[in-house]
Amino acid sequence: MNKKPIVSAGSMRESSSSGDESNPQLEPVDRAAEKSLTRKCDLHVLAPVAFLYMLAFLDRVNIGNARIQGLEKDLNMKGQDFNIALCVFFILYIVCEVPSNLLLRKIAPSTWLSLIMVCWGIVTVCMGFTQTFAGLVVCRIVLGMCEAGFFPGCLYLISMYYRRYELQQRITLFFGTTIIANAFSGLLAYAIANMSGIGGYNGWRWIFIIEGGITIVAAACGKYFIVDWPETAIFLSSEERDLLLRRLQEDVAEAKMDRLDTKSKLRILGDWKIYTGIIIYFGVVNTGYSISFFTPTILRQLGWTSIRAQVLTIPVYVFSFVVTIVVAICTDRLHHRYAFAMLGILLATIGYGILLAQEYVPVSTRYAAVFLVAAGSNITQPVVLVWLNNNMGGHYKRSISAAMQIGLGNCGGIVASNIYITTQAPTYPIGYGISLALLWICGLACTVFLIGLRMENIKRDRGERDDRYNLPKEEFENLGDDHPSFRFTY
């Protein structure tokens, strides 16, 4: 079998180090039409799921705002009860991610994603009516199951509409809605706190009831706004659909995995890149959840009132959002991921260093440290998600790898739920120390990932994987990124 042109992780190329020349077998595309198509995808693909994911994250982390509005007192929670309520969310959240993404491949995304969203909206409302700690725990477990498929499902769906070096900006905008949600949750909680006493309910109950109700309404509308797969996208004309499919074909060329047979399953489960990606995400997501769950509490313990602490979280997230968008643009334009992932780790490291020494620094410096930790975490998280996705070839490979990275990587959320020990407030030496250590596990894993990808590219340049051209046709056409013409990005 003849060799095919080399496929980099960004485009089809004649060699791994060459420019962005397209496959010469294809006619040049109309760049104006291509730009118009991309904008149309931004509006129809990205905008709806980004808004819905913001609501999802509000429902996941609003418990942190409810805490400082009297949740623990009303439910007679003591000791580590709050940490337990956080931790149990991840039990089914982790387990259900891969099955959900496999179902998404079989069911229309507009149907599946809106359905699970209605379910978690109902559960969130139920949290507002619970009368016991046990009831809260049950709701959190079920919430984790319902939310499990949304993030990896959206990541998978978005990645099927864009070329690889268009993806970071889109995923960062999508991920950035969680930053907005964190900021908005503080503002919303501040407003809802004034509803305390209405209907006989304290303010923390109204947080769950109102935010859950908004989610249910949005999910019902989402069925009509969430798009399905590119091959059946009704918002595109036939000409636009053909152009979209051609762009995607040029991007991945022979690196396909459209059948989930025994050999493809073994290739997926035996891929070191996926497990490295899990470790990378595990290391950084701990900080992401720590910021979401505990920032209001940390700021309150710096000496501010609950309401002022809620409001002071807003600048933290606005700053993070701006920084992450700038980084996303740079990493796509420079076609590079590793250095930007490490940049986020370094910023968060400085922040944690200040927080670990907070007894010796003024309150204003401690507040600045929260900015650094939040910005650093929010830089690195979307970069490492896209980095792994860029190096996966084929429908099923992207679907399962995204679910595995996010699902198993979210074990970091379990860690975050248990390391901020109540008796150590307000200094939290164990919480900050473990979070810092996990960040550098992430950094080490990023370095291993970089070296491994570069070494594999060198082997393919030398022709050391060309024996795969002689595989049976059925297997050869389903290799995904194991195709010898595929080149990895870093």
Side-chain angles (χ1 to χ4, degrees), residues 42-322:
D42 290 341
L43 179 63
H44 291 271
V45 179
L46 182 62
V49 294
F51 174 73
L52 295 176
Y53 185 56
M54 180 179 70
L55 297 181
F57 204 76
L58 276 174
D59 291 337
R60 188 185 312 174
V61 303
N62 53 17
I63 191 171
N65 292 312
R67 182 188 193 185
I68 66 173
Q69 297 298 336
L71 168 72
E72 290 175 300
K73 180 180 178 181
D74 287 359
L75 298 185
N76 297 314
M77 296 166 63
K78 300 176 182 178
Q80 294 298 106
D81 284 354
F82 181 75
N83 300 72
I84 292 171
L86 296 180
C87 183
V88 296
F89 170 89
F90 295 98
I91 297 172
L92 293 181
Y93 185 85
I94 292 168
V95 171
C96 294
E97 299 240 356
V98 172
S100 178
N101 256 21
L102 290 175
L103 280 171
L104 184 67
R105 185 76 181 104
K106 303 293 184 182
I107 303 173
S110 58
T111 299
W112 180 246
L113 296 177
S114 57
L115 175 62
I116 61 177
M117 192 171 183
V118 168
C119 292
W120 87 60
I122 293 171
V123 175
T124 302
V125 172
C126 290
M127 288 171 64
F129 293 103
T130 188
Q131 300 297 319
T132 64
F133 170 61
L136 178 66
V137 167
V138 170
C139 287
R140 291 284 296 176
I141 292 173
V142 178
L143 184 66
M145 179 184 69
C146 296
E147 283 199 28
F150 197 79
F151 185 23
C154 290
L155 177 61
Y156 174 31
L157 179 63
I158 294 169
S159 73
M160 300 311 296
Y161 276 87
Y162 296 98
R163 297 168 68 103
R164 290 184 181 85
Y165 285 119
E166 298 168 343
L167 190 58
Q168 185 68 66
Q169 296 173 61
R170 274 77 187 184
I171 293 299
T172 297
L173 280 169
F174 172 75
F175 181 83
T177 61
T178 68
I179 306 173
I180 296 171
N182 274 316
F184 181 67
S185 68
L187 183 62
L188 183 59
Y190 173 74
I192 293 176
N194 295 318
M195 295 180 63
S196 184
I198 297 177
Y201 296 129
N202 280 342
W204 69 266
R205 294 187 182 276
W206 283 113
I207 291 176
F208 292 128
I209 294 169
I210 291 175
E211 293 182 6
I214 293 172
T215 297
I216 294 170
V217 173
C221 298
K223 167 62 182 172
Y224 304 99
F225 292 101
I226 299 173
V227 300
D228 294 319
W229 303 115
E231 295 81 358
T232 59
I234 62 174
F235 71 92
L236 298 173
S237 67
S238 59
E239 292 81 8
E240 289 171 330
R241 188 180 300 107
D242 289 343
L243 176 58
L244 175 63
L245 294 175
R246 174 181 166 178
R247 295 180 77 246
L248 299 175
Q249 171 65 19
E250 288 177 350
D251 193 36
V252 300
E254 302 298 324
K256 300 175 183 177
M257 188 176 284
D258 298 330
R259 293 190 319 276
L260 192 61
D261 53 25
T262 301
K263 289 185 178 179
S264 61
K265 290 177 184 176
L266 292 175
R267 287 189 182 279
I268 293 170
L269 296 177
D271 191 342
W272 68 273
K273 300 190 297 297
I274 295 177
Y275 300 103
T276 307
I278 290 169
I279 295 170
I280 290 171
Y281 193 61
F282 169 80
V284 69
V285 80
N286 167 79
T287 291
Y289 279 116
S290 296
I291 290 294
S292 300
F293 290 148
F294 294 102
T295 293
T297 301
I298 291 168
L299 294 183
R300 185 182 64 177
Q301 289 167 345
L302 291 180
W304 293 312
T305 64
S306 295
I307 292 177
R308 191 182 180 196
Q310 297 279 15
V311 174
L312 286 172
T313 63
I314 297 171
V316 174
Y317 297 119
V318 171
F319 174 75
S320 293
F321 181 76
V322 172

Side-chain angles (χ1 to χ4, degrees), residues 1-15:
M1 188 174 292
N2 295 328
K3 292 184 180 181
K4 302 294 183 182
I6 290 173
V7 183
S8 79
S11 62
M12 184 177 245
R13 305 183 187 181
E14 293 302 320
S15 71

